[in-house]
Structure formats: structure tokens, C-alpha cells
Amino acid sequence: MSQTNEYFDLLIIGAGLSGIGAGCHMKKECPGKSFAILEGRQAIGGTWDLFRYPGIRSDSDMYTLGYDFKPWVNKKGIADGDDIRNYIREAAAENKVEDHIRFSHKVVGADYSTKDSMWTVTVEVDGETRIYRSQFLLSCTGYYNYNEGFTPDFDGRDDFKGQILHPQFWPEDLDYSGKKVVVIGSGATAVTLVPAMTDKAAKVTMLQRSPSYVLSVPQTDPMIQLMRKIMPEKWAYKITRGRNVSITLAIYHFCKKFPGLARKILQKQVSSQLPKDFDMSHFTPKYAPWDERLCAVPNGDMFKAIKAGKADVVTDHIDRFVENGILLKSGKVQEADIIITATGLKIQLLGNMNLTMDGQEIPMPEKMSYRGVMFEDIPNFGMIFGYTNASWTLKADMLAKWFCGLMKHMDHIGAREATPVNKHGQMETRPFVDMQSGYIARMAHTLPRQGMEKPWKLNQNYFADRSELKSADYDEGTLEYGNLVVTTEPRTA
């Protein structure tokens, strides 16, 4: 059974942090336009609703991970998952976006008709197929597969007598009281889980193949608490946001320019919070700082757990799983009752939907990103993808605003179609996500590219992007517009 009579000016895919943000910007910037948010799950929040493991929290401060239009008023700068989920829900309610969300709507394909300047979107809803049409399509699906995490093939997995689980699919009834827990991994999820599970577990061990850089950060910000007493909340939020962006960007550029010195500073900060006889090789990565994302540890909670003897770190390679734990390459058996494979995400753009134009598949790995939101030769399509070296939402906000501005500009000039076109000729390209993290490297061949010249180049710099996007000329020659006949499809919001 198919429903084919609904048309929207814009379809937003995903009701997570980016999708709700885009919806809020639509309400403010394009109040006369119809839009719907198609969400495959049954809840608002995306990542912050999906992940429910102990200690789940932001790895960026909420004064920059929060929306630019909604101040973060919680005392915790590094926030718990529940608080972030509630914040996203509040934003949707306050901006009257909730009525635009269609839950249990899994987008499986989208085809653009160059004749009609129209996207036809195929959606699965409770076993049925529905067809929606829209002039514009905006993907806010994040960058990983919600249905499948990444877990290496460990030999002997069936020999282990305990429980094995992935953080992405945390069982609500898991009882780890008095248990020996081994967390495989060294990224943000692992350093969150390890201290969080020491409340009940007998011992928690982080088993890593190679170390990551870990940075202790304060969970609360005394400065903003003071500012809140003497100025309006919006001012305090804006000032703190600007300060934190500047600090984060300065740290990033310092690490890139002086990797050796940055490594020493990061190592000293860690060693000062650990026992004097602790083997620092467990926190000494082989790569340079910010070749991969830094892991934030609020108030040094992981270091405190290690110092108290409730947690430890083992650096070794896994040979195989055995009945009572994990046999390591060194010959040691790491005993465990529960093994948690915090081994990363499975990268997936566009929610795994099949993107076509006039029935022909669009080869996304061959396309260059345009201003970080649209793509070469693909009309009326955008994707919200935030920063990898700063808070995601800083960029998501700017891109959503720019996309709304494009829609308004097209109304002004009477165009139905906008297509980024590369007029520079052959251009050197680089990866769209230029990081060495394993989960990125595994899927790099499936991702689009970025150019080496503007507007095809990604800055990874909030202040540069803000300046460029605010001053961007929608009539620049790189954007080609098509003035086509307006469709007679019925429009219902």
C-alpha cells in the first residue's frame, strides 16, 4: 500500500540534534514553507536517545554543543545523556517542531527528477511503503549506522561463558554488581564506561590495542555561574560559547603546529593525576595529538578510578576469547565475567538510503562537498555534518541557516533548482573527514571528498566558516539555478 499525495517544500531526514536544529531554523527563517522531519526510530534525540550505557555524556562542552538559539542552563558543562536528550526535546517543543515529525519513517531511497526539480522519497512505515515529494532534501542522519556497531571478529567468541555486548545496544537489565568487567577499546566510549561502572563492578579493565590522548576537563564552569548572577542568561551563554570555541580552536592549532610540545603537555597532565609508579605507556599514543579526536574526561574521573584501584588499563593485542576471559598475545589471560566491545561505530552517511538522479545512482564518493553542506552536481540536496575538531552543533547551526537562506534566495529569483557546479576544472581532492581514526579509515572509500580551493574546501574553523557563510553570495557562479515550472502537486504541511 502506498501513499503518494504528500508534498513538502523540504524534507529533513532524522530527528536528532541536527534534524531538530534544522527544523527550528526552518520555523524562524522560512515560516511560510512546509516541511516534515522523517525519523526512522520512535523518539527525538538521535544519538542521545539511542545510547543508554552507564555514564553516557557529551565529549564536548554544552555551551558549544548546544544550539546558538537556545542557551544551555544546566550547571554541568559536560552533560549527561539524559540532560542532552531533554534539551533537544525542549528545543523541539519551544519552537513548535514536534508536529512536523513523522516517527517510524525509515527513508530507504530518494530520486531527484531533473525534469520536475523534485525529490521523490521512498519511506518504510510499519511494513508499508509511502512516497513523499519535496523540492529540497536535507539529510541530518549523522555519520554512523544506528542498527549495527563495529565489532572485530574475535576468535573463540563462542567459547566465552560470560556476556558480550556492544555499548550501542546496552541492555536495560544488565547487572554487573560484583563482576569483573573488561572494556575493549580506548576511545571516548571506553573512557566513559570504565569509571562509570566502578560503582558496582568488582573491577573494570580497559583493554586497548593502542592508547589514545585523554584530557581531563572540568565538568562545571565557575565563570559562567558568576556571569549568570550579573547578566542575562543569553549574554552569559554567548560569551561562554565564544570563549570556549576560541580555547578549543587554539588547542587544536597548537597541537597541529607543535605536536611534540603538545604531547609533553598532555602527558604531564595525565601523569600528575595517576599514581607515581603508573606505567605511562598506557597513555602514550603513537600518533600526534589531534590526528584523532581527543577524549575528554570530566573532572579526571577515570584517573581517580585508577588511583583508587577500582579500574586499570592493559595495553596488549587479543589472541582469542577463552572460557573465562581473553587470552592476550603476551600469554596472559585477562579474566572477565562481562566483555564490552567499545570498538567503535560503523560509518554510514545518509542513513544508508539509496540516492539517485533520474533513476541513476549518484556516486557519492566521487562528489566534492560544497560549503560543507551541498555536493557537486546534486541539485536541491544538503547534508548536515558538524565539526570533528570542535562541537558538532557549531557547524550544524551555520549550515542549516545557510540552507534556509538558499531556499529564500531561490524564491526571490524565481528558481526551482540550485546545483553546485565545479568550474575550476580538475582539482586535487582530499578526504571529506580528514582524520586517522580507525572507524573513519575503514569507510573512507565510501565517503565524498573535499577540494583544495574554496568553496569546495572544508575549514574545520568556526570563525572562518562563520565569516564565509555570512558573507557568501548565493549568486556566485559556482551555484547554477534552474527556472522551471512550479509543480501542481498538492501541498500539505
Side-chain angles (χ1 to χ4, degrees), residues 46-70:
T47 294
W48 302 108
D49 182 74
L50 177 70
F51 283 94
R52 300 296 181 102
Y53 59 79
I56 174 68
R57 64 198 179 202
S58 61
D59 62 350
S60 302
D61 71 275
M62 288 303 300
Y63 307 110
T64 55
L65 188 63
Y67 299 119
D68 63 359
F69 55 83
K70 179 174 170 58

Side-chain angles (χ1 to χ4, degrees), residues 115-118 414 416 482-488:
K115 177 184 176 182
D116 300 326
S117 295
M118 185 78 62
R416 288 283 299 164
N483 296 298
L484 302 180
V485 177
V486 178
T487 182
T488 57

Side-chain angles (χ1 to χ4, degrees), residues 292-308:
E292 298 183 18
R293 192 177 175 95
L294 301 183
C295 295
V297 176
N299 295 336
D301 59 4
M302 182 174 178
F303 306 131
K304 291 175 183 176
I306 293 172
K307 203 168 185 178

